[in-house]
Amino acid sequence: MNNVIDFINTNRDRYVGELKEYLAIPSISALPQHSGDVRRCAEWTAEEMRRVGLQNVRLIETPGNPVVYGDWLGAPGAPTILFYGHYDVQPVDPVDLWESPPFEATIRDGEIYARGAADDKGQVFMHFKALEAHLKQNGRLPVNIKIMLEGEEEVGSAHLDDFVRRHKNELAADVVVISDSPMFERGIPSICYGLRGLVYFQIDLRGTKTDLHSGSFGGAVANPAFVLAQVLAQMKDRGGRVKIPGFYDDVKPLSEQERAEFKRLPFNETKYKKDLGAPRLFGETGYSTLERVWGRPTFEVNGLLSGFTGEGAKTVIPAVAMAKVSMRLVPNQDPDRIARLFEEHVKKAAPKTVEVKVTRMHGGKPWMTEFDNPFVQAAGRAIQKGFGQRPVFTREGGSIPVVSTFQEELSLPSVLFGVGLPDENAHAPNEKLDLGNFHNGIIASAYLYEEIASA
Ligand code: BES
Ligand code: ZN
């Protein structure tokens, strides 16, 4: 193993140069004008997988963006890892808030800034380099590995469940490994054992067939912008509790043991608030911040659009109003059931004075695993070796929809070992990855394969 670690230490600078190349491809899955870049990124990913020594590397077409697949299966009798990640990234707007261009990776204060640096290209690349070190130094890996990278994670993985079902046999493995989440805190690596689920909607209201002069018509018709505000106000109360009837029916309560464990984590609420620039924190009454984000569901407004929003004033009653909203879910809430309850609640909340259209968009199921499984323990040892520090166990508020699919369709446990940071600015301007964590992450990944081999 020493020769593998030496190789990683010697090649440290080369890795950063290569990562910059990867981060230069604007693989934004949400924007149709970037579909060529998404494909180019899939091809670059495949080329890189071939360069590091993986076999059977190919793009597998789906009705959407291709899955990049590759494997190395030369360790008969050893466990097989299914590695999952994504090569697509989020849009970059508001682009003028970036301090350096999002697709020209720039290093400042030991962090590499670019869209995808943390979510998820940088973390995928870390595993490529760990695999390369093993393969270049020893000509073999201690485990078998199947790598499956998708290009639609940031838009809800619409075609992935079907892909997993169709390729059940090819994807057979013993454990899933994913690095697509932040660590608990700078200097405190973590293993994540739970993710929230998601249901996402667009609500469209129409009041009249066209915009109206607010003097001639104000008072005679409903204003869809105002009605939208009233509808949204009926989704959550002032105590942060979702008001959709039945919403909490299937929520698995946080156990006293889990609450005690969360409390033991070195979470600094004052710093958290300051880092976010929030005048005050807000969430469901009766729960701590970590409990709210990790273990409780929520309703959020993701975007609002209506009427005149330019400079100056315009006296108008908008014809339409639109909101994007979503709910983060926890075990054992079912996205389909929650979607039904939400639609019913919107229909009841909206008056007859407007036409209402509710469109369901993407989503995914919540996920949670037991962390006494031997692979999680193996990951803990690997992280300790890579970071010189034992990991803490965390849940996360974000979603990776395919994780529950791996559980349900392939009966596979997942180990989520992420090296991002809470202030990595994922989905926001100035996304970044700490290069020290990137390097330690490569070492930890290299150990992970060895530890899993002996788990
Ligand atoms: N990397 C994130 C998931 C994540 C975020 C895990 C924070 C843990 C903590 C992932 O790329 C992501 O953003 N997923 C989307 C999924 C959605 C589009 C279905 C999310 O959570 O919004
Ligand atoms: Zn991600």
Side-chain angles (χ1 to χ4, degrees):
M1 198 57 198
N2 286 344
N3 63 339
V4 173
I5 304 305
D6 287 346
F7 183 89
I8 294 170
N9 285 324
T10 311
N11 285 277
R12 189 172 182 151
D13 294 341
R14 171 172 66 86
Y15 296 159
V16 177
E18 292 171 357
L19 176 59
K20 280 185 175 174
E21 233 183 86
Y22 199 19
L23 294 173
I25 309 170
S27 49
I28 306 171
S29 51
L31 304 177
Q33 66 267 36
H34 282 283
S35 65
D37 295 314
V38 172
R39 182 159 292 270
R40 187 156 61 83
C41 189
E43 279 157 6
W44 196 98
T45 306
E47 267 314 304
E48 173 64 15
M49 284 164 62
R50 290 187 192 104
R51 277 195 291 272
V52 308
L54 292 161
Q55 300 171 347
N56 299 310
V57 178
R58 60 187 187 273
L59 305 197
I60 306 179
E61 297 302 331
T62 74
N65 298 328
V67 167
V68 186
Y69 177 87
D71 59 31
W72 191 91
L73 304 173
T80 300
I81 296 174
L82 176 62
F83 179 82
Y84 163 83
H86 60 95
Y87 64 86
D88 65 323
V89 299
Q90 283 275 326
V92 297
D93 37 60
V95 70
D96 36 306
L97 295 184
W98 285 76
E99 281 167 33
S100 50
F103 297 108
E104 284 172 37
T106 306
I107 296 166
R108 291 191 294 276
D109 300 329
E111 320 236 23
I112 186 162
Y113 287 81
R115 174 56 87 230
D119 185 11
D120 179 32
K121 286 178 185 172
Q123 300 201 58
V124 166
F125 202 70
M126 168 179 108
H127 284 271
F128 287 169
K129 296 298 104 173
L131 293 165
E132 180 189 64
H134 277 282
L135 289 167
K136 293 278 182 280
Q137 288 296 75
N138 299 333
R140 59 181 302 279
L141 298 174
V143 284
N144 302 294
I145 191 161
K146 298 175 178 178
I147 296 190
M148 164 188 163
L149 303 172
E150 76 158 315
E152 299 185 303
E153 199 274 350
E154 299 292 7
V155 286
S157 306
H159 304 105
L160 206 63
D161 281 1
D162 197 45
F163 178 91
V164 171
R165 265 179 235 122
R166 274 169 200 266
H167 295 88
K168 257 188 176 167
N169 294 337
E170 292 108 298
L171 297 174
D174 297 290
V175 60
V176 177
V177 171
I178 300 175
S179 290
D180 187 23
S181 48
M183 57 167 81
F184 180 67
E185 187 56 80
R186 199 176 283 277
I188 308 178
S190 49
I191 292 177
C192 169
Y193 66 91
L195 292 166
R196 288 198 288 188
L198 183 75
V199 261
Y200 200 113
F201 288 94
Q202 177 167 328
I203 307 175
D204 287 282
L205 301 190
R206 176 172 285 279
T208 49
K209 64 182 182 203
T210 179
D211 285 0
L212 300 173
H213 189 295
S214 69
S216 308
F217 300 96
V221 286
N223 181 322
F226 190 74
V227 172
L228 182 59
Q230 291 176 315
V231 169
L232 293 177
Q234 293 187 50
M235 296 297 150
K236 202 149 103 173
D237 70 17
R238 286 178 172 264
R241 209 174 149 85
V242 178
K243 294 206 287 183
I244 302 166
F247 184 78
Y248 290 94
D249 286 359
D250 302 317
V251 169
K252 183 179 150 93
L254 283 153
S255 69
E256 281 315 311
Q257 190 200 340
E258 210 176 14
R259 297 185 86 169
E261 274 155 14
F262 287 5
K263 241 188 228 121
R264 270 201 295 279
L265 293 170
F267 179 70
N268 182 337
E269 188 141 312
T270 313
K271 179 172 180 297
Y272 183 84
K273 187 178 84 149
K274 187 164 165 275
D275 287 349
L276 295 180
R280 281 197 183 189
L281 298 179
F282 170 76
E284 190 182 355
T285 307
Y287 294 91
S288 72
T289 297
L290 288 183
E291 289 167 354
R292 288 168 178 171
V293 177
W294 292 353
R296 299 292 299 172
T298 180
F299 175 93
E300 299 302 333
V301 179
N302 302 108
L304 280 176
L305 192 67
S306 185
F308 177 69
T309 56
E311 235 176 271
K314 183 179 184 222
T315 43
V316 65
I317 298 174
V320 294
M322 185 274 275
K324 309 253 186 191
V325 304
S326 61
M327 285 149 273
R328 293 282 169 179
L329 310 177
V330 299
N332 297 311
Q333 285 176 299
D334 171 46
D336 291 338
R337 174 164 187 272
I338 296 295
R340 254 192 336 271
L341 296 176
F342 169 76
E343 280 170 34
E344 281 164 21
H345 191 55
V346 172
K347 297 260 155 75
K348 271 206 203 104
K352 299 265 179 302
T353 52
V354 294
E355 278 170 26
V356 184
K357 195 170 116 204
V358 178
T359 312
R360 183 169 170 189
M361 301 170 93
H362 60 226
K365 290 184 184 169
W367 167 81
M368 194 150 76
T369 188
E370 303 299 327
F371 49 87
D372 55 4
N373 93 52
F375 296 116
V376 172
Q377 301 304 320
R381 293 192 296 276
I383 290 168
Q384 170 140 29
K385 288 179 179 167
F387 288 82
Q389 181 104 17
R390 273 167 73 118
V392 296
F393 287 93
T394 60
R395 284 167 70 173
E396 283 292 344
S399 312
I400 307 176
V402 76
V403 180
S404 74
T405 313
F406 288 143
Q407 181 75 56
E408 286 173 12
E409 297 291 334
L410 306 177
S411 307
L412 286 182
S414 290
V415 174
L416 268 65
F417 137 64
V419 304
L421 285 172
D423 67 349
E424 69 192 10
N425 297 325
H427 298 200
N430 304 307
E431 180 177 346
K432 63 183 180 185
L433 179 67
D434 181 280
L435 286 173
N437 288 340
F438 173 63
H439 185 72
N440 292 343
I442 298 173
I443 296 179
S445 309
Y447 278 117
L448 178 64
Y449 311 138
E450 201 190 52
E451 290 290 346
I452 284 183
S454 54

